[in-house]
Amino acid sequence: MTADEARRVERVMRSLGISGVVAPADPEDPSGEWSVFDEADPGTRRDKTAEVLAAIAEHVPEHDTGSPRRGTMRGFVGLPPRDR
């Protein structure tokens, strides 16, 4: 993931109480790929990107067109229900 994507992932992680450190995969190249690690120390950290992304995905509701709380969908824009 890019640095911008990493910042967004980190915000979601924090909001869901998921532990981990988002950092450049190569500590010497912050402009390169970023990953999620169990700790900050590059010498002992373990990559847990796939594990964290799966945990985040569990919190994303599946697309349910029959839900009464879901608004109308127009292309990629979701309009909230009128009662909100």
Side-chain angles (χ1 to χ4, degrees):
M1 75 186 91
T2 65
D4 184 52
E5 292 167 331
R7 282 187 287 277
R8 287 184 282 163
V9 167
E10 190 166 45
R11 279 194 304 270
V12 173
M13 287 171 55
R14 299 296 169 251
S15 72
L16 296 173
I18 298 172
S19 65
V21 176
V22 183
D26 177 357
E28 301 296 320
D29 183 16
S31 65
E33 287 292 309
W34 286 56
S35 298
V36 181
F37 300 98
D38 60 343
E39 62 178 78
D41 183 358
T44 59
R45 67 187 185 185
R46 180 183 64 85
D47 187 335
K48 60 185 245 174
T49 305
E51 176 185 330
V52 167
L53 293 179
I56 290 172
E58 288 181 18
H59 290 88
V60 177
E62 292 185 30
H63 182 67
D64 178 10
T65 57
S67 172
R69 298 296 305 157
R70 185 175 217 85
T72 305
M73 299 297 290
R74 298 285 186 255
F76 63 89
V77 178
L79 303 175
R82 289 179 182 242
D83 64 336
R84 285 192 181 175

